[in-house]
Amino acid sequence: MNPRLYRVLQSLLVAALALYLLERLVSGKLYWYINERFTGLVLAGLLGLLLVAGNALLALYQARREHAGEHAHHHDHDHVHGHDHDHNHGARPAPWNLLWLALPLVLGLLVPARPLGSDLAANKGVTLGGALTGGSSQPAQLVAAPDERNVLDWLRLFNASADLTPYLGESANVIGFVYPDPRLPEGYFLVARFSVACCVADAFAIGMAVAWSEELPPDQWVNVRGPVQVLEVDGQPVPLILAERIDLIAEPAQPYIFP
Amino acid sequence: MSDTSLSQTPPRRSIPLRWLALILAVIVIATLPLELTLGFLNQAAARLPDFATIFLGIFIEAAPFLLFGTLASGLVEVFISQDTLARLLPRQPALGALAGGLLGLFFPVCECGVVPLTRRLLRKGLPLSTGIAFLLAAPVLNPIVILSTAAAFGFGGVLALRLALSLLIAVLTGLVFAAEPDPVHILRAVDTPASPVTPLQPLVLAQPASAPTRLARLRAALGIALDEFFEMGRFLIFGAGLAAGMQVFIPQAALLDIGSGPLASVLVMNGVAVLLSICSTVDAFVALGFVGTFSGGAILSFLVFGPMVDIKSVLMYGQVFRPRPVLYLVLIPFLVSLLAGLLINYAFPGLT
């Protein structure tokens, strides 16, 4: 492959990656992939990518201008000519590398972006209690009002407290997607969310049991309201909502919980 | 004479990563009966969005760190004089090994950059114990990896253990190599006298003594970063794809039994570390994805063993060192990380 072409393709690919990241950041969809606290990191990263790409393109342009006057023809070397120029000497074009790096771009642009849902919850399992791992999982401050707690808050409460009686009867108001967990008996489903500490690779699904006679389709987002009780699942006490009211809602723009 | 000359014979390339990916695909397809394969392909299509999400999640998280690593590598290449370095370091083996282990704190290089750099330093007269310790420790004991590990696991036990164990293994191995006084017996003979250009270390600049301007040097560093980003990025992408594939297509329950056994989990994670061959600057994020399934000791072993020994680094060692040193470079980290992982599983079961 012509070294100059290789350099151009490299630079364009890097610039395209940077622009893709920028688009995700601006549209907010970036947070379907990573935790919000890394916004600065991604911004710095994409600026760095643009810098690297820009430098290479500039070098190519400068080289072209100088060579136009100096050479009548190019030698058939497999490296780019350089004089005082600061593009790479001795680098061999590696076309396969272009394909590898194009992969994230291709996947990112062609596969419709979709936050994680019940498919992955089925594969990874849903955590109902016990150790809640992942990132900085220090116990959050107790969210005072019961109906402002989300699924993670409830699970943490149940996890941290030896005595659950103060919480029984409190009224819960949570959102999540419907997940029919095989561990639950008939008439129960989980209202689930994904908790993302760093990026979706470490995402784990958490859920509260809901008692509701009507069968709801998996992945349907709902707002569940009702008093909280305890349900034993696999020998573990799990928060249960005796649903008094369930509203079907649209999937929120940001479906994940960032602990 | 500037080091910009190309060797006459093309340098021996490491086995292309695409072959590895192909072999993996063939194995997967060949070991599954047809209905399963078709069913798998069907499932694959349905699960593609989830695969893409997780794959991109790892990549987006990791790419900035990868880039910073390559930029640092470029700056190191351009601004640090190798002679000064060799002069400043202690000759006594134990101190030298320790110094080598800590040197990475000033030399942020990924495991890909450290091999050619070490060779160059050894040829310039760097003591062997220092060089080997640097080779093994630098991929972990450097600011970028410290930051990325902290980003994934917080400033706590995992980070501390990762650093301590890596330093321990590096110093130990450095001392073992100190028994061999002459680097000539360690390094492979090479065709050309000048530093050969390997595919993974593309830019060899004129020595700083010929004084190009600071801006020119900075721009050269950016050029190095571009090439290294591509060289190393493909391993990140391969590893992210494998990790995402495991998460999406293999039910976690199947792994849980292996994952919780104190010895089996460590062995498996060491194997995964070798297979994934991810850059140390970003492997913490992939490791995080295994936390629910694998024991703390296994995760630590992955974080310690991976940067030292994986497919790409062993291939690179093979280009630089003779076979027996390469064996030591693989065995010692393997045994110590295995032992450490086991101990951690018994002593700190709740680490992750």
Side-chain angles (χ1 to χ4, degrees):
Chain A
M1 172 180 264
N2 180 322
R4 170 160 280 121
L5 178 63
Y6 179 65
R7 287 277 169 242
V8 169
L9 289 176
Q10 268 188 325
S11 319
L12 290 180
L13 201 50
V14 169
L17 271 171
L19 291 175
Y20 169 74
L21 288 176
L22 186 63
E23 190 275 329
R24 293 283 110 152
L25 197 141
V26 164
S27 69
K29 292 199 180 136
L30 185 67
Y31 310 113
W32 287 357
Y33 301 101
I34 63 172
N35 190 320
E36 288 166 339
R37 59 192 167 113
F38 292 116
T39 308
L41 179 73
V42 173
L43 201 53
L46 76 89
L47 286 175
L49 288 173
L50 286 174
L51 188 66
V52 168
N55 173 63
L57 287 170
L58 183 63
L60 281 165
Y61 173 70
Q62 289 172 328
R64 174 176 284 256
R65 269 197 332 182
E66 291 224 3
H67 285 208
E70 290 177 17
H71 291 278
H73 63 279
H74 284 288
H75 297 286
D76 201 19
H77 295 276
D78 57 348
H79 62 268
V80 183
H81 285 286
H83 306 273
D84 304 316
H85 296 307
D86 25 41
H87 49 266
N88 295 319
H89 293 263
R92 301 161 57 89
W96 276 95
N97 286 358
L98 295 175
L99 286 177
W100 281 105
L101 263 288
L103 214 58
L105 209 55
V106 165
L107 277 178
L109 294 175
L110 291 186
V111 179
R114 192 185 83 183
L116 303 177
S118 62
D119 277 339
L120 202 71
N123 220 43
K124 291 183 94 168
V126 182
T127 308
L128 299 175
L132 294 174
T133 58
S136 48
S137 53
Q138 281 85 30
Q141 310 94 313
L142 275 168
V143 182
D147 56 4
E148 281 174 20
R149 296 177 199 146
N150 61 31
V151 171
L152 184 61
D153 296 323
W154 280 106
L155 274 182
R156 281 205 179 125
L157 263 185
F158 267 60
N159 223 17
S161 324
D163 179 21
L164 296 171
T165 43
Y167 306 116
L168 303 181
E170 277 188 336
S171 124
N173 177 9
V174 298
I175 61 169
F177 60 91
V178 172
Y179 179 67
D181 196 310
R183 293 172 290 183
L184 295 174
E186 280 261 356
Y188 295 84
F189 65 87
L190 284 184
V191 58
R193 302 283 297 273
F194 271 101
S195 171
V196 174
C198 274
C199 75
V200 289
D202 62 75
F204 62 97
I206 50 177
M208 293 170 76
V210 177
W212 186 253
S213 49
E214 183 193 336
E215 204 176 298
L216 294 166
D219 276 327
Q220 170 67 52
W221 276 78
V222 290
N223 182 349
V224 179
R225 274 177 271 222
V228 168
Q229 290 298 320
V230 184
L231 181 70
E232 269 237 351
V233 177
D234 287 346
Q236 242 182 30
V238 162
L240 165 71
I241 306 176
L242 298 170
E244 285 171 352
R245 176 174 167 175
I246 293 190
D247 294 313
L248 304 183
I249 59 176
E251 179 171 47
Q254 177 45 262
Y256 304 145
I257 297 180
F258 298 127
Chain B
M1 168 188 149
S2 96
D3 270 353
T4 53
S5 55
L6 254 189
S7 52
Q8 289 305 102
T9 56
R12 250 188 54 204
R13 317 198 77 177
S14 39
I15 298 175
L17 192 62
R18 58 187 176 274
W19 288 12
L20 232 63
L22 196 64
I23 291 171
L24 203 65
V26 167
I27 290 176
V28 167
I29 295 179
T31 53
L32 296 177
L34 186 62
E35 317 91 62
L36 226 72
T37 311
L38 290 176
F40 174 75
L41 288 174
N42 237 338
Q43 251 202 3
R47 297 250 175 113
L48 192 59
D50 278 343
F51 173 81
T53 305
I54 297 185
F55 169 77
L56 285 167
I58 299 177
F59 181 76
I60 292 176
E61 178 83 55
F65 281 106
L66 183 65
L67 182 72
F68 300 148
T70 61
L71 285 171
S73 177
L75 290 171
V76 161
E77 179 62 41
V78 165
F79 284 108
I80 309 288
S81 154
Q82 294 146 11
D83 292 314
T84 343
L85 193 66
R87 265 185 283 127
L88 285 176
L89 293 165
R91 293 239 150 220
Q92 197 268 342
L95 277 181
L98 190 60
L102 295 173
L103 205 56
L105 291 170
F106 308 100
F107 274 75
V109 287
C110 189
E111 48 198 293
C112 311
V114 79
V115 177
L117 186 59
T118 307
R119 171 175 53 187
R120 196 166 311 182
L121 291 170
L122 285 174
R123 287 227 190 87
K124 291 275 185 181
L126 191 72
L128 205 51
S129 61
T130 311
I132 296 295
F134 174 68
L135 181 73
L136 292 177
V140 170
L141 274 93
N142 70 65
I144 300 193
V145 173
I146 294 176
L147 281 177
S148 71
T149 311
F153 289 96
F155 283 98
V158 173
L159 178 63
L161 279 170
R162 182 181 202 186
L163 298 178
L165 283 172
S166 301
L167 187 61
L168 180 69
I169 296 179
V171 171
L172 269 176
T173 315
L175 284 175
V176 167
F177 273 79
E180 173 56 76
D182 193 349
V184 162
H185 296 141
I186 305 292
L187 298 175
R188 278 182 61 206
V190 210
D191 305 324
T192 53
S195 303
V197 176
T198 70
L200 292 166
Q201 182 67 345
L203 181 76
V204 185
L205 257 203
Q207 298 305 320
S210 67
T213 67
R214 183 160 290 172
L215 177 64
R217 288 207 248 165
L218 276 173
R219 292 192 61 186
L222 288 176
I224 298 176
L226 179 64
D227 271 325
E228 282 203 2
F229 187 73
F230 276 79
E231 291 295 344
M232 302 196 287
R234 61 193 165 138
F235 293 106
L236 170 62
I237 288 163
F238 179 69
L242 206 55
M246 282 177 70
Q247 285 207 11
V248 173
F249 296 111
I250 301 182
Q252 212 193 40
L255 295 173
L256 266 174
D257 279 334
I258 317 174
S260 40
L263 177 62
S265 61
V266 179
L267 280 172
V268 169
M269 277 310 276
N270 275 6
V272 171
V274 170
L275 274 179
L276 290 188
S277 289
I278 312 173
C279 220
S280 56
T281 42
V282 296
D283 58 7
F285 301 115
V286 177
L288 203 52
F290 290 114
V291 158
T293 327
F294 285 88
S295 62
I299 302 282
L300 232 336
S301 193
F302 174 89
L303 291 174
V304 166
F305 184 61
M308 297 182 181
V309 178
D310 58 34
I311 298 179
K312 66 179 190 303
S313 32
V314 172
L315 292 173
M316 280 190 271
Y317 295 159
Q319 276 188 336
V320 172
F321 298 102
R322 296 221 168 116
R324 202 155 56 96
V326 175
L327 191 63
Y328 288 154
L329 285 174
V330 172
L331 265 183
I332 302 177
F334 176 69
L335 289 172
V336 179
S337 66
L338 189 66
L339 197 61
L342 257 177
L343 283 174
I344 289 173
N345 276 336
Y346 283 115
F348 307 109
L351 184 63
T352 52

